[in-house]
mmCIF file of all heavy atoms in Angstrom:
data_model
loop_
_atom_site.group_PDB
_atom_site.id
_atom_site.type_symbol
_atom_site.label_atom_id
_atom_site.label_comp_id
_atom_site.label_asym_id
_atom_site.label_seq_id
_atom_site.Cartn_x
_atom_site.Cartn_y
_atom_site.Cartn_z
ATOM 1 N N LEU N 662 138.059 64.367 37.305
ATOM 2 C CA LEU N 662 139.277 63.938 37.963
ATOM 3 C C LEU N 662 140.452 64.545 37.221
ATOM 4 O O LEU N 662 140.824 64.088 36.129
ATOM 5 C CB LEU N 662 139.401 62.401 37.982
ATOM 6 C CG LEU N 662 138.179 61.621 38.483
ATOM 7 C CD1 LEU N 662 138.508 60.129 38.589
ATOM 8 C CD2 LEU N 662 137.669 62.162 39.818
ATOM 9 N N MET N 663 141.031 65.581 37.787
ATOM 10 C CA MET N 663 142.202 66.218 37.216
ATOM 11 C C MET N 663 143.467 65.592 37.814
ATOM 12 O O MET N 663 143.374 64.869 38.816
ATOM 13 C CB MET N 663 142.156 67.723 37.494
ATOM 14 C CG MET N 663 140.944 68.420 36.890
ATOM 15 S SD MET N 663 140.899 68.346 35.090
ATOM 16 C CE MET N 663 142.199 69.535 34.705
ATOM 17 N N PRO N 664 144.629 65.831 37.237
ATOM 18 C CA PRO N 664 145.837 65.174 37.757
ATOM 19 C C PRO N 664 146.091 65.418 39.240
ATOM 20 O O PRO N 664 146.501 64.510 39.957
ATOM 21 C CB PRO N 664 146.952 65.774 36.895
ATOM 22 C CG PRO N 664 146.297 66.076 35.602
ATOM 23 C CD PRO N 664 144.921 66.564 35.983
ATOM 24 N N ASN N 665 145.819 66.647 39.726
ATOM 25 C CA ASN N 665 146.152 66.952 41.124
ATOM 26 C C ASN N 665 144.974 67.509 41.925
ATOM 27 O O ASN N 665 145.165 68.054 43.010
ATOM 28 C CB ASN N 665 147.329 67.911 41.206
ATOM 29 C CG ASN N 665 147.023 69.253 40.560
ATOM 30 O OD1 ASN N 665 145.941 69.487 40.022
ATOM 31 N ND2 ASN N 665 147.987 70.171 40.633
ATOM 32 N N HIS N 666 143.771 67.390 41.402
ATOM 33 C CA HIS N 666 142.597 67.802 42.182
ATOM 34 C C HIS N 666 141.325 67.190 41.590
ATOM 35 O O HIS N 666 141.339 66.651 40.468
ATOM 36 C CB HIS N 666 142.488 69.318 42.284
ATOM 37 C CG HIS N 666 142.198 70.016 40.980
ATOM 38 N ND1 HIS N 666 143.145 70.255 40.030
ATOM 39 C CD2 HIS N 666 141.035 70.519 40.480
ATOM 40 C CE1 HIS N 666 142.607 70.893 38.991
ATOM 41 N NE2 HIS N 666 141.326 71.059 39.252
ATOM 42 N N VAL N 667 140.260 67.307 42.363
ATOM 43 C CA VAL N 667 138.969 66.746 41.985
ATOM 44 C C VAL N 667 137.886 67.794 42.176
ATOM 45 O O VAL N 667 137.896 68.532 43.170
ATOM 46 C CB VAL N 667 138.630 65.517 42.869
ATOM 47 C CG1 VAL N 667 137.240 64.982 42.563
ATOM 48 C CG2 VAL N 667 139.680 64.424 42.704
ATOM 49 N N HIS N 668 136.952 67.862 41.230
ATOM 50 C CA HIS N 668 135.763 68.688 41.349
ATOM 51 C C HIS N 668 134.538 67.780 41.419
ATOM 52 O O HIS N 668 134.431 66.820 40.650
ATOM 53 C CB HIS N 668 135.574 69.606 40.135
ATOM 54 C CG HIS N 668 136.530 70.739 40.050
ATOM 55 N ND1 HIS N 668 136.223 72.013 40.476
ATOM 56 C CD2 HIS N 668 137.785 70.815 39.553
ATOM 57 C CE1 HIS N 668 137.253 72.819 40.259
ATOM 58 N NE2 HIS N 668 138.222 72.103 39.705
ATOM 59 N N LEU N 669 133.610 68.102 42.317
ATOM 60 C CA LEU N 669 132.347 67.374 42.419
ATOM 61 C C LEU N 669 131.196 68.387 42.523
ATOM 62 O O LEU N 669 131.355 69.448 43.128
ATOM 63 C CB LEU N 669 132.324 66.481 43.663
ATOM 64 C CG LEU N 669 133.466 65.483 43.865
ATOM 65 C CD1 LEU N 669 133.340 64.805 45.217
ATOM 66 C CD2 LEU N 669 133.471 64.459 42.748
ATOM 67 N N LEU N 670 130.062 68.026 41.960
ATOM 68 C CA LEU N 670 128.830 68.780 42.147
ATOM 69 C C LEU N 670 127.808 67.808 42.694
ATOM 70 O O LEU N 670 127.457 66.838 42.017
ATOM 71 C CB LEU N 670 128.350 69.411 40.857
ATOM 72 C CG LEU N 670 127.032 70.202 40.928
ATOM 73 C CD1 LEU N 670 127.174 71.395 41.865
ATOM 74 C CD2 LEU N 670 126.596 70.679 39.541
ATOM 75 N N VAL N 671 127.335 68.047 43.913
ATOM 76 C CA VAL N 671 126.463 67.094 44.575
ATOM 77 C C VAL N 671 125.305 67.833 45.248
ATOM 78 O O VAL N 671 125.379 69.049 45.463
ATOM 79 C CB VAL N 671 127.232 66.283 45.654
ATOM 80 C CG1 VAL N 671 128.461 65.613 45.066
ATOM 81 C CG2 VAL N 671 127.631 67.162 46.848
ATOM 82 N N THR N 672 124.289 67.055 45.605
ATOM 83 C CA THR N 672 123.213 67.570 46.451
ATOM 84 C C THR N 672 122.992 66.574 47.597
ATOM 85 O O THR N 672 122.674 65.421 47.336
ATOM 86 C CB THR N 672 121.894 67.754 45.685
ATOM 87 O OG1 THR N 672 122.087 68.687 44.612
ATOM 88 C CG2 THR N 672 120.794 68.275 46.606
ATOM 89 N N PRO N 673 123.181 67.024 48.841
ATOM 90 C CA PRO N 673 122.965 66.126 49.977
ATOM 91 C C PRO N 673 121.485 66.012 50.335
ATOM 92 O O PRO N 673 120.705 66.930 50.068
ATOM 93 C CB PRO N 673 123.734 66.817 51.099
ATOM 94 C CG PRO N 673 123.646 68.270 50.761
ATOM 95 C CD PRO N 673 123.667 68.350 49.264
ATOM 96 N N THR N 674 121.129 64.902 50.952
ATOM 97 C CA THR N 674 119.776 64.725 51.458
ATOM 98 C C THR N 674 119.747 64.720 52.989
ATOM 99 O O THR N 674 118.680 64.623 53.586
ATOM 100 C CB THR N 674 119.166 63.411 50.934
ATOM 101 O OG1 THR N 674 119.973 62.301 51.392
ATOM 102 C CG2 THR N 674 119.113 63.399 49.418
ATOM 103 N N THR N 675 120.911 64.836 53.621
ATOM 104 C CA THR N 675 121.011 64.900 55.075
ATOM 105 C C THR N 675 121.954 66.050 55.471
ATOM 106 O O THR N 675 122.759 66.497 54.654
ATOM 107 C CB THR N 675 121.549 63.589 55.668
ATOM 108 O OG1 THR N 675 122.880 63.354 55.168
ATOM 109 C CG2 THR N 675 120.648 62.414 55.280
#
Side-chain angles (χ1 to χ4, degrees):
L662 310 186
M663 300 296 287
N665 63 358
H666 67 282
V667 175
H668 287 262
L669 306 174
L670 179 62
V671 306
T672 299
T674 61
T675 62

